[in-house]
Coordinates of all heavy atoms in Angstrom, one line a residue:
M22 N 15.5 105.5 -26.8 CA 15.1 105.7 -25.4 C 13.6 105.5 -25.2 O 13.2 105.0 -24.2 CB 15.5 107.1 -24.9 CG 15.3 107.3 -23.5 SD 16.3 108.7 -23.0 CE 15.7 109.0 -21.4
N23 N 12.8 105.9 -26.2 CA 11.4 105.8 -26.1 C 11.0 104.3 -26.2 O 10.0 103.9 -25.6 CB 10.8 106.5 -27.3 CG 9.3 106.7 -27.1 OD1 8.8 106.4 -26.0 ND2 8.6 107.2 -28.1
D24 N 11.8 103.4 -26.9 CA 11.5 102.0 -27.0 C 11.6 101.3 -25.7 O 10.8 100.4 -25.4 CB 12.4 101.3 -28.0 CG 12.1 101.8 -29.4 OD1 11.0 102.2 -29.7 OD2 13.0 101.7 -30.3
G25 N 12.5 101.8 -24.8 CA 12.7 101.2 -23.5 C 11.4 101.4 -22.6 O 11.0 100.5 -21.9
R26 N 10.8 102.6 -22.7 CA 9.6 102.9 -21.9 C 8.4 102.0 -22.4 O 7.7 101.5 -21.6 CB 9.3 104.3 -22.0 CG 10.3 105.2 -21.2 CD 9.8 106.6 -21.2 NE 10.8 107.4 -20.6 CZ 10.9 108.7 -20.8 NH1 10.1 109.3 -21.5 NH2 11.9 109.4 -20.2
K27 N 8.3 101.9 -23.7 CA 7.2 101.1 -24.2 C 7.4 99.6 -23.8 O 6.4 98.9 -23.4 CB 7.1 101.2 -25.7 CG 6.6 102.4 -26.2 CD 6.5 102.4 -27.8 CE 6.0 103.7 -28.3 NZ 6.0 103.7 -29.8
F28 N 8.6 99.1 -23.8 CA 8.9 97.8 -23.4 C 8.5 97.5 -22.0 O 7.9 96.6 -21.6 CB 10.3 97.4 -23.7 CG 10.7 96.1 -23.3 CD1 10.4 95.0 -24.2 CD2 11.4 95.8 -22.2 CE1 10.7 93.7 -23.8 CE2 11.8 94.5 -21.8 CZ 11.4 93.5 -22.7
S29 N 8.9 98.4 -21.1 CA 8.6 98.2 -19.7 C 7.1 98.3 -19.4 O 6.6 97.6 -18.6 CB 9.4 99.2 -18.8 OG 9.0 100.5 -19.1
W30 N 6.4 99.2 -20.1 CA 5.0 99.3 -19.9 C 4.3 98.1 -20.4 O 3.3 97.6 -19.8 CB 4.4 100.6 -20.7 CG 4.7 101.8 -19.9 CD1 5.6 102.8 -20.3 CD2 4.1 102.3 -18.7 NE1 5.6 103.8 -19.4 CE2 4.6 103.5 -18.4 CE3 3.1 101.7 -17.9 CZ2 4.3 104.2 -17.3 CZ3 2.7 102.5 -16.8 CH2 3.3 103.7 -16.5
K31 N 4.8 97.5 -21.5 CA 4.2 96.3 -22.0 C 4.3 95.1 -21.0 O 3.3 94.4 -20.7 CB 4.8 95.9 -23.3 CG 4.3 94.6 -23.9 CD 5.0 94.4 -25.3 CE 5.9 93.2 -25.2 NZ 6.5 92.9 -26.5
W32 N 5.5 95.0 -20.4 CA 5.7 93.9 -19.4 C 4.9 94.2 -18.1 O 4.5 93.3 -17.5 CB 7.2 93.7 -19.1 CG 7.9 93.0 -20.3 CD1 8.7 93.5 -21.2 CD2 7.7 91.7 -20.7 NE1 9.1 92.6 -22.1 CE2 8.4 91.4 -21.8 CE3 6.9 90.6 -20.1 CZ2 8.5 90.2 -22.4 CZ3 6.9 89.4 -20.8 CH2 7.7 89.2 -21.9
L33 N 4.8 95.5 -17.8 CA 4.0 95.8 -16.6 C 2.6 95.4 -16.8 O 1.9 94.9 -15.9 CB 4.2 97.3 -16.2 CG 3.4 97.8 -15.0 CD1 3.8 97.1 -13.8 CD2 3.5 99.3 -14.9
A34 N 2.0 95.7 -18.0 CA 0.7 95.4 -18.3 C 0.4 93.9 -18.3 O -0.6 93.4 -17.7 CB 0.3 96.0 -19.6
I35 N 1.4 93.1 -18.8 CA 1.3 91.7 -18.8 C 1.3 91.1 -17.4 O 0.5 90.3 -17.0 CB 2.4 91.0 -19.6 CG1 2.2 91.3 -21.1 CG2 2.5 89.5 -19.4 CD1 3.3 90.9 -22.0
L36 N 2.2 91.7 -16.5 CA 2.3 91.3 -15.1 C 1.0 91.6 -14.4 O 0.5 90.7 -13.6 CB 3.5 92.0 -14.5 CG 3.6 91.7 -13.0 CD1 4.0 90.3 -12.8 CD2 4.6 92.6 -12.4
L37 N 0.4 92.7 -14.6 CA -0.9 93.1 -14.0 C -2.0 92.1 -14.4 O -2.8 91.7 -13.6 CB -1.2 94.5 -14.3 CG -0.4 95.6 -13.6 CD1 -0.8 97.0 -14.0 CD2 -0.5 95.4 -12.0
V38 N -2.0 91.7 -15.7 CA -3.0 90.8 -16.1 C -2.9 89.4 -15.5 O -3.8 88.8 -15.0 CB -3.0 90.7 -17.7 CG1 -3.8 89.5 -18.2 CG2 -3.5 92.0 -18.3
V39 N -1.6 89.0 -15.4 CA -1.4 87.7 -14.8 C -1.7 87.7 -13.3 O -2.4 86.8 -12.8 CB 0.1 87.3 -15.0 CG1 0.5 86.1 -14.1 CG2 0.4 87.0 -16.5
V40 N -1.3 88.7 -12.6 CA -1.7 88.8 -11.2 C -3.2 88.9 -11.0 O -3.8 88.3 -10.1 CB -1.0 90.1 -10.5 CG1 -1.6 90.4 -9.2 CG2 0.5 89.9 -10.5
G41 N -3.9 89.6 -11.9 CA -5.3 89.7 -11.8 C -6.0 88.4 -12.0 O -7.0 88.0 -11.3
L42 N -5.5 87.6 -13.0 CA -6.0 86.3 -13.2 C -5.8 85.3 -12.1 O -6.7 84.5 -11.7 CB -5.4 85.7 -14.5 CG -5.9 86.3 -15.8 CD1 -5.1 85.8 -17.0 CD2 -7.4 86.1 -16.0
V43 N -4.6 85.4 -11.5 CA -4.4 84.6 -10.3 C -5.3 84.9 -9.1 O -5.8 84.0 -8.5 CB -2.9 84.7 -9.9 CG1 -2.6 84.0 -8.5 CG2 -2.0 84.0 -10.9
V44 N -5.5 86.2 -8.9 CA -6.3 86.6 -7.8 C -7.8 86.2 -8.1 O -8.5 85.7 -7.2 CB -6.2 88.2 -7.6 CG1 -7.3 88.7 -6.7 CG2 -4.9 88.5 -7.0
A45 N -8.2 86.4 -9.3 CA -9.6 86.0 -9.6 C -9.8 84.5 -9.5 O -10.8 84.0 -9.0 CB -9.9 86.4 -11.1
A46 N -8.8 83.7 -9.9 CA -8.9 82.2 -9.8 C -8.9 81.8 -8.4 O -9.7 80.9 -8.0 CB -7.7 81.6 -10.6
R47 N -8.1 82.4 -7.5 CA -8.1 82.0 -6.1 C -9.4 82.4 -5.4 O -9.8 81.7 -4.5 CB -6.9 82.7 -5.4 CG -5.6 82.1 -5.8 CD -4.4 82.6 -5.0 NE -4.6 82.3 -3.6 CZ -4.0 81.3 -3.0 NH1 -3.2 80.6 -3.6 NH2 -4.2 81.1 -1.7
S48 N -10.0 83.5 -5.8 CA -11.2 83.9 -5.2 C -12.4 83.0 -5.7 O -13.4 82.8 -4.9 CB -11.5 85.4 -5.4 OG -11.7 85.6 -6.7
F49 N -12.4 82.6 -6.9 CA -13.5 81.8 -7.4 C -13.4 80.3 -7.2 O -14.4 79.6 -7.0 CB -13.7 82.0 -8.9 CG -14.2 83.4 -9.3 CD1 -13.5 84.2 -10.1 CD2 -15.4 83.8 -8.8 CE1 -13.9 85.5 -10.4 CE2 -15.9 85.0 -9.1 CZ -15.2 85.9 -9.9
L50 N -12.2 79.8 -7.0 CA -12.0 78.4 -6.8 C -11.7 78.1 -5.3 O -10.9 78.7 -4.7 CB -10.8 77.9 -7.6 CG -11.0 77.9 -9.2 CD1 -9.7 77.5 -9.8 CD2 -12.1 77.1 -9.6
D51 N -12.5 77.2 -4.8 CA -12.3 76.8 -3.4 C -11.3 75.6 -3.4 O -11.8 74.5 -3.3 CB -13.6 76.5 -2.7 CG -13.5 76.2 -1.3 OD1 -12.4 76.5 -0.7 OD2 -14.4 75.6 -0.7
V52 N -10.0 75.8 -3.5 CA -9.1 74.7 -3.5 C -9.1 73.9 -2.2 O -9.1 72.7 -2.2 CB -7.7 75.3 -3.8 CG1 -6.6 74.2 -3.8 CG2 -7.6 75.9 -5.2
H53 N -9.2 74.6 -1.1 CA -9.2 73.9 0.2 C -10.4 73.0 0.3 O -10.3 71.8 0.7 CB -9.2 74.9 1.3 CG -9.1 74.3 2.7 ND1 -10.3 74.1 3.4 CD2 -8.1 73.8 3.4 CE1 -10.0 73.5 4.5 NE2 -8.7 73.3 4.6
G54 N -11.6 73.5 0.0 CA -12.8 72.6 0.0 C -12.7 71.5 -0.9 O -13.2 70.4 -0.6
L55 N -12.2 71.7 -2.1 CA -12.0 70.6 -3.1 C -11.1 69.5 -2.6 O -11.4 68.4 -2.7 CB -11.5 71.2 -4.4 CG -11.3 70.3 -5.5 CD1 -12.6 69.7 -6.0 CD2 -10.6 70.9 -6.7
L56 N -10.0 69.9 -2.0 CA -9.0 69.0 -1.5 C -9.5 68.2 -0.3 O -9.3 67.0 -0.2 CB -7.7 69.6 -1.2 CG -6.9 70.2 -2.4 CD1 -5.6 70.9 -1.9 CD2 -6.5 69.1 -3.3
T57 N -10.2 68.8 0.6 CA -10.7 68.1 1.8 C -11.8 67.2 1.3 O -12.0 66.1 1.9 CB -11.2 69.1 2.8 OG1 -12.1 70.0 2.3 CG2 -10.1 69.8 3.5
G58 N -12.7 67.6 0.4 CA -13.7 66.7 -0.1 C -13.1 65.5 -0.8 O -13.6 64.4 -0.7
T59 N -12.0 65.7 -1.5 CA -11.3 64.6 -2.2 C -10.7 63.6 -1.2 O -10.8 62.4 -1.4 CB -10.2 65.1 -3.1 OG1 -10.8 66.0 -4.1 CG2 -9.5 64.0 -3.9
L60 N -10.2 64.2 -0.1 CA -9.7 63.3 0.9 C -10.8 62.4 1.6 O -10.5 61.3 1.9 CB -8.9 64.1 2.0 CG -7.6 64.7 1.6 CD1 -7.1 65.6 2.7 CD2 -6.6 63.6 1.2
R61 N -11.9 63.0 1.7 CA -13.1 62.2 2.2 C -13.4 61.1 1.2 O -13.7 59.9 1.6 CB -14.3 63.1 2.4 CG -14.2 63.9 3.7 CD -15.5 64.6 4.0 NE -15.2 65.8 4.7 CZ -15.4 67.0 4.2 NH1 -16.0 67.2 3.0 NH2 -15.0 68.1 4.8
L62 N -13.4 61.4 -0.1 CA -13.7 60.4 -1.1 C -12.6 59.3 -1.0 O -13.0 58.1 -1.1 CB -13.7 61.0 -2.5 CG -13.8 60.1 -3.6 CD1 -15.1 59.4 -3.7 CD2 -13.4 60.8 -4.9
V63 N -11.4 59.6 -0.9 CA -10.3 58.6 -0.8 C -10.5 57.7 0.4 O -10.3 56.5 0.3 CB -8.9 59.3 -0.8 CG1 -7.8 58.4 -0.4 CG2 -8.6 60.0 -2.1
D64 N -10.9 58.3 1.5 CA -11.2 57.5 2.7 C -12.3 56.5 2.5 O -12.2 55.4 3.1 CB -11.5 58.5 3.9 CG -11.5 57.8 5.2 OD1 -10.7 56.8 5.4 OD2 -12.2 58.2 6.1
D65 N -13.3 56.9 1.8 CA -14.4 56.0 1.5 C -14.2 54.9 0.5 O -15.0 54.0 0.4 CB -15.6 56.8 1.1 CG -16.2 57.8 2.1 OD1 -15.9 57.5 3.3 OD2 -16.9 58.7 1.7
L66 N -13.1 54.9 -0.2 CA -12.8 53.9 -1.2 C -12.2 52.6 -0.7 O -12.0 51.7 -1.5 CB -11.9 54.5 -2.3 CG -12.6 55.5 -3.2 CD1 -11.6 56.1 -4.2 CD2 -13.7 54.9 -4.0
G67 N -11.8 52.6 0.5 CA -11.2 51.4 1.1 C -9.9 51.1 0.5 O -9.0 52.0 0.5
P68 N -9.6 49.9 0.0 CA -8.3 49.5 -0.5 C -7.9 50.3 -1.7 O -6.7 50.4 -2.1 CB -8.4 48.0 -0.8 CG -9.8 47.7 -0.9 CD -10.6 48.7 -0.1
W69 N -8.8 50.8 -2.5 CA -8.5 51.6 -3.7 C -8.1 53.1 -3.3 O -7.6 53.8 -4.2 CB -9.6 51.6 -4.7 CG -9.7 50.3 -5.4 CD1 -10.6 49.3 -5.1 CD2 -8.9 49.8 -6.4 NE1 -10.4 48.2 -5.9 CE2 -9.3 48.5 -6.8 CE3 -7.8 50.4 -7.1 CZ2 -8.7 47.8 -7.8 CZ3 -7.2 49.6 -8.1 CH2 -7.6 48.3 -8.4
G70 N -8.3 53.4 -2.1 CA -8.0 54.8 -1.6 C -6.6 55.2 -1.8 O -6.3 56.3 -2.4
P71 N -5.6 54.4 -1.4 CA -4.2 54.8 -1.6 C -3.8 54.9 -3.1 O -3.0 55.8 -3.4 CB -3.4 53.6 -1.0 CG -4.4 53.0 0.1 CD -5.7 53.2 -0.5
V72 N -4.4 54.1 -3.9 CA -4.1 54.2 -5.4 C -4.6 55.6 -5.9 O -3.8 56.3 -6.6 CB -4.7 53.0 -6.1 CG1 -4.5 53.2 -7.6 CG2 -4.2 51.7 -5.7
L73 N -5.8 55.9 -5.6 CA -6.3 57.2 -6.0 C -5.6 58.3 -5.4 O -5.3 59.3 -6.1 CB -7.8 57.3 -5.7 CG -8.5 58.6 -6.1 CD1 -8.5 58.8 -7.6 CD2 -9.9 58.7 -5.5
F74 N -5.2 58.2 -4.1 CA -4.5 59.3 -3.5 C -3.2 59.6 -4.2 O -2.8 60.7 -4.4 CB -4.2 58.9 -2.0 CG -3.5 60.0 -1.3 CD1 -4.1 61.1 -0.8 CD2 -2.1 59.9 -1.1 CE1 -3.5 62.1 -0.1 CE2 -1.4 60.9 -0.4 CZ -2.1 62.0 0.0
V75 N -2.4 58.5 -4.5 CA -1.1 58.7 -5.2 C -1.3 59.4 -6.5 O -0.6 60.3 -6.9 CB -0.4 57.4 -5.3 CG1 0.8 57.5 -6.2 CG2 0.1 56.9 -3.9
L76 N -2.3 59.0 -7.3 CA -2.6 59.6 -8.6 C -3.0 61.1 -8.4 O -2.6 61.9 -9.2 CB -3.7 58.8 -9.3 CG -3.4 57.4 -9.8 CD1 -4.6 56.7 -10.3 CD2 -2.2 57.4 -10.8
L77 N -3.8 61.4 -7.4 CA -4.2 62.7 -7.2 C -3.0 63.6 -6.7 O -2.9 64.8 -7.1 CB -5.3 62.8 -6.1 CG -6.7 62.3 -6.6 CD1 -7.7 62.3 -5.4 CD2 -7.2 63.2 -7.7
Y78 N -2.1 63.0 -5.9 CA -1.0 63.7 -5.5 C -0.1 64.1 -6.6 O 0.5 65.2 -6.7 CB -0.2 62.9 -4.4 CG 0.6 63.8 -3.5 CD1 0.2 64.1 -2.2 CD2 1.9 64.3 -3.9 CE1 0.9 64.9 -1.4 CE2 2.6 65.1 -3.1 CZ 2.1 65.4 -1.8 OH 2.9 66.2 -1.0
V79 N 0.1 63.2 -7.6 CA 0.9 63.4 -8.8 C 0.2 64.5 -9.6 O 0.9 65.5 -10.1 CB 1.1 62.1 -9.6 CG1 1.6 62.4 -11.0 CG2 1.9 61.1 -8.9
L80 N -1.1 64.5 -9.8 CA -1.8 65.5 -10.5 C -1.7 66.8 -9.9 O -1.5 67.9 -10.5 CB -3.3 65.1 -10.7 CG -4.1 66.0 -11.5 CD1 -3.7 66.1 -12.9 CD2 -5.6 65.6 -11.4
A81 N -1.8 66.9 -8.5 CA -1.7 68.1 -7.8 C -0.3 68.7 -8.0 O -0.1 70.0 -8.1 CB -2.0 67.9 -6.3
T82 N 0.7 67.9 -8.0 CA 2.1 68.4 -8.2 C 2.3 69.0 -9.5 O 2.9 70.0 -9.7 CB 3.1 67.2 -8.0 OG1 2.9 66.7 -6.6 CG2 4.5 67.7 -8.1
V83 N 1.7 68.3 -10.6 CA 1.9 68.8 -11.9 C 1.1 70.2 -12.1 O 1.6 71.1 -12.8 CB 1.3 67.8 -12.9 CG1 1.2 68.4 -14.3 CG2 2.2 66.6 -12.9
L84 N 0.0 70.3 -11.4 CA -0.8 71.5 -11.5 C -0.4 72.6 -10.5 O -1.1 73.6 -10.4 CB -2.3 71.2 -11.3 CG -2.9 70.3 -12.4 CD1 -4.4 69.9 -12.0 CD2 -2.9 71.0 -13.7
F85 N 0.7 72.4 -9.8 CA 1.2 73.3 -8.8 C 0.2 73.7 -7.7 O 0.2 74.8 -7.2 CB 1.7 74.6 -9.5 CG 2.8 74.4 -10.5 CD1 2.6 74.6 -11.8 CD2 4.0 74.1 -10.0 CE1 3.6 74.4 -12.7 CE2 5.1 73.9 -10.9 CZ 4.9 74.0 -12.2
V86 N -0.6 72.7 -7.3 CA -1.5 72.9 -6.2 C -0.7 72.6 -4.9 O 0.1 71.7 -4.9 CB -2.7 71.8 -6.2 CG1 -3.6 71.9 -5.0 CG2 -3.5 72.1 -7.5
P87 N -0.9 73.5 -3.9 CA -0.1 73.3 -2.7 C -0.3 71.9 -2.1 O -1.5 71.5 -1.9 CB -0.6 74.4 -1.7 CG -1.2 75.4 -2.6 CD -1.7 74.7 -3.8
G88 N 0.7 71.2 -1.8 CA 0.6 69.8 -1.3 C 0.5 69.7 0.2 O 0.4 68.6 0.7
S89 N 0.5 70.8 0.9 CA 0.5 70.7 2.4 C -0.8 70.0 2.9 O -0.8 69.2 3.8 CB 0.6 72.0 3.0 OG -0.4 72.9 2.6
I90 N -2.0 70.3 2.3 CA -3.2 69.7 2.7 C -3.2 68.2 2.4 O -3.6 67.4 3.2 CB -4.4 70.4 2.0 CG1 -4.5 71.8 2.5 CG2 -5.7 69.7 2.3 CD1 -5.5 72.6 1.8
L91 N -2.7 67.8 1.2 CA -2.6 66.4 0.8 C -1.6 65.7 1.7 O -1.9 64.5 2.1 CB -2.3 66.3 -0.6 CG -3.3 66.7 -1.6 CD1 -2.8 66.7 -3.1 CD2 -4.5 65.7 -1.5
T92 N -0.5 66.3 2.0 CA 0.5 65.6 2.9 C -0.1 65.4 4.3 O 0.1 64.3 4.8 CB 1.7 66.5 2.9 OG1 2.2 66.7 1.6 CG2 2.8 65.8 3.8
L93 N -0.7 66.4 4.8 CA -1.3 66.2 6.1 C -2.5 65.2 6.1 O -2.7 64.4 7.0 CB -1.8 67.6 6.7 CG -0.7 68.6 7.0 CD1 -1.4 69.9 7.3 CD2 0.1 68.1 8.2
G94 N -3.2 65.3 5.0 CA -4.3 64.3 4.8 C -3.9 62.9 4.7 O -4.5 62.0 5.2
A95 N -2.7 62.7 4.1 CA -2.2 61.3 4.0 C -1.8 60.8 5.4 O -2.1 59.6 5.7 CB -0.9 61.3 3.2
G96 N -1.3 61.7 6.3 CA -1.0 61.2 7.6 C -2.3 60.9 8.4 O -2.3 60.0 9.2
V97 N -3.3 61.7 8.2 CA -4.6 61.5 8.9 C -5.2 60.2 8.4 O -5.7 59.4 9.2 CB -5.5 62.7 8.8 CG1 -6.9 62.4 9.3 CG2 -4.9 63.9 9.5
L98 N -5.3 60.0 7.1 CA -6.0 58.9 6.5 C -5.3 57.6 6.6 O -5.9 56.5 6.9 CB -6.3 59.1 5.0 CG -7.3 60.2 4.7 CD1 -7.3 60.4 3.1 CD2 -8.6 60.0 5.2
F99 N -4.0 57.6 6.4 CA -3.3 56.3 6.3 C -2.3 56.1 7.5 O -1.6 55.1 7.5 CB -2.5 56.3 5.0 CG -3.3 56.5 3.8 CD1 -3.1 57.6 3.0 CD2 -4.3 55.6 3.5 CE1 -3.9 57.8 1.9 CE2 -5.1 55.8 2.3 CZ -4.9 56.9 1.5
G100 N -2.2 57.1 8.4 CA -1.2 57.0 9.5 C 0.1 57.6 9.0 O 0.3 57.8 7.8
V101 N 0.9 57.9 10.0 CA 2.1 58.7 9.7 C 3.1 57.9 8.8 O 3.6 58.4 7.8 CB 2.8 59.1 11.0 CG1 4.2 59.8 10.7 CG2 1.9 60.0 11.8
V102 N 3.4 56.6 9.2 CA 4.3 55.9 8.4 C 3.8 55.6 7.0 O 4.5 55.8 6.0 CB 4.7 54.6 9.2 CG1 5.6 53.7 8.3 CG2 5.3 54.9 10.5
R103 N 2.6 55.0 6.9 CA 2.1 54.6 5.6 C 1.8 55.9 4.7 O 2.1 55.9 3.6 CB 0.8 53.8 5.8 CG 0.3 53.3 4.5 CD -0.9 52.3 4.8 NE -1.4 51.8 3.5 CZ -2.7 51.5 3.4 NH1 -3.5 51.6 4.4 NH2 -3.1 51.1 2.2
G104 N 1.3 56.9 5.4 CA 1.1 58.2 4.7 C 2.4 58.8 4.1 O 2.4 59.3 3.0
S105 N 3.5 58.7 4.9 CA 4.8 59.2 4.4 C 5.3 58.3 3.2 O 5.9 58.9 2.3 CB 5.8 59.2 5.5 OG 5.4 60.0 6.6
L106 N 5.1 57.1 3.3 CA 5.5 56.2 2.2 C 4.7 56.5 0.9 O 5.3 56.4 -0.2 CB 5.4 54.7 2.6 CG 6.4 54.2 3.7 CD1 6.0 52.8 4.1 CD2 7.8 54.4 3.2
L107 N 3.4 56.7 1.1 CA 2.6 57.0 -0.1 C 3.0 58.3 -0.7 O 3.0 58.5 -1.9 CB 1.1 57.0 0.3 CG 0.5 55.7 0.6 CD1 -0.9 55.8 1.1 CD2 0.5 54.8 -0.7

């Protein structure tokens, strides 16, 4: 019976550490500013912009970055139809 309590405390401690790291990362990293700056860079690249955008979208997906800003940015930069295709 004592082993069950130790086990749950261990997992609770791990959960608290993970939550703390996520909160710290979100407060120190300005993901929104980084993504909007990247969209400005993509816009300035001309014909190479769509190529970089697709590569960045794939990278953001792998890193679990919310894609809503990139999706909306694609519509703004490339138009609704072309942005949806990209």
Side-chain angles (χ1 to χ4, degrees):
M22 188 161 168
N23 195 10
D24 291 333
R26 288 184 187 162
K27 286 182 182 178
F28 180 76
S29 63
W30 283 107
K31 180 175 109 176
W32 285 108
L33 179 63
I35 291 171
L36 178 66
L37 289 175
V38 168
V39 169
V40 168
L42 289 173
V43 169
V44 168
R47 289 186 61 100
S48 63
F49 288 120
L50 297 175
D51 182 20
V52 175
H53 181 266
L55 179 67
L56 290 177
T57 54
T59 303
L60 289 174
R61 282 190 213 111
L62 172 71
V63 167
D64 190 32
D65 293 340
L66 286 178
W69 286 102
V72 174
L73 178 64
F74 180 80
V75 169
L76 292 174
L77 289 173
Y78 204 100
V79 169
L80 181 65
T82 302
V83 170
L84 295 175
F85 298 109
V86 174
S89 58
I90 296 172
L91 288 172
T92 302
L93 293 171
V97 170
L98 291 178
F99 305 116
V101 175
V102 174
R103 188 171 176 210
S105 296
L106 291 174
L107 288 173

